[in-house]
Amino acid sequence: MADLTLRDLVKTYDRTEVLHGINLAVQDGEFVVFVGPSGCGKSTTLRMIAGLEDVTSGTIEIGRRVVNNLEPKDRDIAMVFQNYAIYPHMSVRKNIGFGLRSSKAPKAEKEARIEEVAGILGMTELLERKPAQLSGGQRQRVAIGRAMVRDPAVFLFDEPLSNLDAQLRTQMRLEIKKLHQRVGSTIVFVTHDQVEAMTMADRIVIMKDGHIQQVGTPSEVYHQPANTFVAQFIGAPAMNMIPGRAADGGIDLSTGGRIAIGRALSPGAEVTLGIRPEDLTLDAPQSVIEGKVIVREPLGHETLIYVGTPAGEIIAKADGRTPPEVGSTVRLGSASENIHVFDAGTGEAIR
Ligand code: ADP
């Protein structure tokens, strides 16, 4: 295991710069998830760490050693891909052992290591099976096992769960998290799925257009998003955004009404208010945006309601058993500490 440090990492394809100076220090044993929309540069970053892409400028250090010019096999990393290539003609034992093909360790030592990894993954009974005799989740575990046998300094996961069905994805998410808690490896995991990022990461790196937008724990990026992009990317349904202007003791909404925010802003400043659906109450005495329920989406434990208001359509969460009827009027409000305020021009959070 080891730390991983990225310094001013830049990547240019032909003449187009796609990563614009990435700085990040991953601690030894930390589980870091890169998340962002397609094309934001997550995979390119991961592939540069792995040594599968050249570094245009900047440095990558693994365990305090600059690895920019090292071959992938000399970097002490192991990668698990989305299309995990396990060999159908090989047993689980051979597939896991494939990770040790370039190791010079004695055969008995390699065998012991394969057994140990199979034990950690709960696959001891399956070692002689072929992939066709395994479930999707078990196959995925074989791919992880192949990475694990080498006991690398850093594990790199490139969207490894994207091809699995929803149920299996949830199950593997939990398995990978438990595995990390057990073996304490340094992990860099790439995904476009904010739920995967939130549920697994010690820290999340949110990217957009080749720039890091925010680095923080799941709680930090959810409760203190740095800008409107992070605010709307993390959390589902996305945070409601309402234009307004700072006034005495609150914010005047563009469409009338004043909402209290419990802090002073320079009067007249153009802002964007952000309120999460789960932070809205439906029968607020004050801080009210009134509207009519347009559509309901029952989810069982709760019902999402889409409310037409003078400030546009707002999503709120209602009780699962007794949600307001379509066409009825609700008075939306929120505790002032749950209202996020962003600069309307830059999108940056105003704290
Ligand atoms: P993500 O993994 O976040 O979806 P990528 O890292 O794959 O994004 O891509 C980042 C940007 O780099 C995109 O604009 C993509 O089109 C571009 N890109 C990726 N690979 C290449 C390549 N081999 N040649 C040219 N452009 C590339």
Side-chain angles (χ1 to χ4, degrees), residues 13-14 18 36-45 53 158-159 190:
Y13 285 114
D14 303 322
V18 298
S38 181
C40 71
K42 317 177 285 288
S43 303
T44 301
T45 307
E53 292 283 353
D158 191 6
E159 303 242 10
V190 160

Coordinates of all heavy atoms in Angstrom, one line a residue, residues 13-14 18 36-45 53 158-159 190, ligand 1:
Y13 N -4.5 15.7 -26.0 CA -4.6 14.8 -27.2 C -4.5 15.6 -28.4 O -5.3 16.6 -28.5 CB -6.0 14.0 -27.2 CG -6.1 12.9 -26.2 CD1 -7.0 13.1 -25.1 CD2 -5.4 11.8 -26.3 CE1 -7.2 12.0 -24.2 CE2 -5.5 10.8 -25.3 CZ -6.4 10.9 -24.3 OH -6.6 9.9 -23.4
D14 N -3.7 15.3 -29.3 CA -3.4 16.2 -30.5 C -3.1 17.6 -29.9 O -2.2 17.7 -29.2 CB -4.5 16.2 -31.5 CG -4.8 14.8 -32.0 OD1 -3.8 14.0 -32.2 OD2 -6.0 14.4 -32.1
V18 N -7.3 18.1 -22.4 CA -8.5 17.5 -21.8 C -8.4 17.4 -20.3 O -9.5 17.3 -19.6 CB -8.9 16.1 -22.4 CG1 -9.1 16.2 -23.9 CG2 -7.8 15.1 -22.1
G36 N -18.1 12.0 -12.3 CA -18.4 13.1 -13.1 C -19.0 12.6 -14.4 O -19.0 11.4 -14.7
P37 N -19.6 13.5 -15.2 CA -20.3 13.1 -16.4 C -19.3 12.5 -17.4 O -18.1 12.8 -17.3 CB -21.0 14.4 -16.9 CG -20.3 15.5 -16.2 CD -19.7 15.0 -15.0
S38 N -19.9 11.8 -18.4 CA -19.1 11.3 -19.5 C -18.2 12.3 -20.1 O -18.7 13.4 -20.4 CB -20.0 10.6 -20.5 OG -19.3 10.1 -21.5
G39 N -16.9 12.0 -20.3 CA -16.1 13.0 -21.0 C -15.4 14.0 -20.1 O -14.6 14.8 -20.6
C40 N -15.5 13.9 -18.8 CA -14.9 14.9 -17.9 C -13.5 14.6 -17.6 O -12.8 15.4 -17.1 CB -15.7 15.0 -16.6 SG -15.5 13.5 -15.6
G41 N -13.0 13.4 -18.0 CA -11.6 13.1 -17.9 C -11.2 12.1 -16.8 O -10.0 11.9 -16.4
K42 N -12.2 11.4 -16.2 CA -12.0 10.4 -15.2 C -11.1 9.3 -15.6 O -10.1 9.0 -15.0 CB -13.3 9.8 -14.7 CG -14.4 10.7 -14.5 CD -15.7 10.0 -14.0 CE -16.3 9.2 -15.2 NZ -17.0 10.0 -16.1
S43 N -11.5 8.7 -16.7 CA -10.7 7.5 -17.2 C -9.3 7.9 -17.7 O -8.4 7.1 -17.4 CB -11.4 6.8 -18.4 OG -12.7 6.5 -18.0
T44 N -9.2 9.0 -18.3 CA -7.9 9.5 -18.7 C -7.0 9.6 -17.5 O -5.8 9.2 -17.5 CB -8.0 10.8 -19.5 OG1 -8.9 10.6 -20.6 CG2 -6.7 11.3 -19.9
T45 N -7.5 10.2 -16.4 CA -6.7 10.4 -15.2 C -6.3 9.0 -14.7 O -5.1 8.8 -14.4 CB -7.5 11.1 -14.1 OG1 -8.0 12.3 -14.7 CG2 -6.7 11.4 -12.9
E53 N -1.5 5.7 -20.5 CA -1.5 7.0 -21.3 C -0.3 7.8 -20.8 O 0.0 7.8 -19.6 CB -2.8 7.8 -21.0 CG -4.1 7.3 -21.4 CD -4.3 7.4 -22.9 OE1 -3.5 8.1 -23.6 OE2 -5.3 6.8 -23.4
D158 N -11.8 0.9 -13.0 CA -12.4 1.7 -14.0 C -13.8 1.3 -14.3 O -14.1 0.3 -15.1 CB -11.6 1.6 -15.3 CG -12.0 2.7 -16.3 OD1 -12.8 3.5 -16.0 OD2 -11.4 2.7 -17.4
E159 N -14.8 1.9 -13.7 CA -16.2 1.6 -13.9 C -16.5 0.1 -13.8 O -17.2 -0.4 -14.7 CB -16.8 2.1 -15.2 CG -16.6 3.6 -15.4 CD -17.8 4.4 -15.5 OE1 -18.9 3.8 -15.3 OE2 -17.8 5.6 -15.8
V190 N -13.2 4.8 -10.5 CA -13.8 5.8 -11.4 C -15.3 5.3 -11.7 O -15.5 4.1 -11.9 CB -13.0 5.8 -12.7 CG1 -13.9 6.4 -13.8 CG2 -11.8 6.7 -12.5
Ligands
ADP1 P1 -14.5 10.1 -18.9 O1 -13.8 8.9 -18.4 O2 -14.7 11.0 -17.8 O3 -15.8 9.7 -19.6 P2 -12.3 10.4 -20.7 O4 -11.2 10.5 -19.7 O5 -12.5 9.2 -21.4 O6 -13.7 10.9 -19.9 O7 -12.2 11.6 -21.8 C1 -11.8 12.9 -21.5 C2 -11.8 13.7 -22.8 O8 -10.7 13.3 -23.5 C3 -13.0 13.6 -23.6 O9 -13.3 14.8 -24.2 C4 -12.6 12.6 -24.7 O10 -13.3 12.8 -25.9 C5 -11.1 12.9 -24.8 N1 -10.3 11.7 -25.2 C6 -10.2 10.5 -24.5 N2 -9.4 9.6 -25.1 C7 -9.0 10.2 -26.2 C8 -8.1 9.9 -27.3 N3 -7.5 8.7 -27.3 N4 -7.9 10.8 -28.3 C9 -8.5 12.0 -28.3 N5 -9.3 12.4 -27.3 C10 -9.6 11.6 -26.3

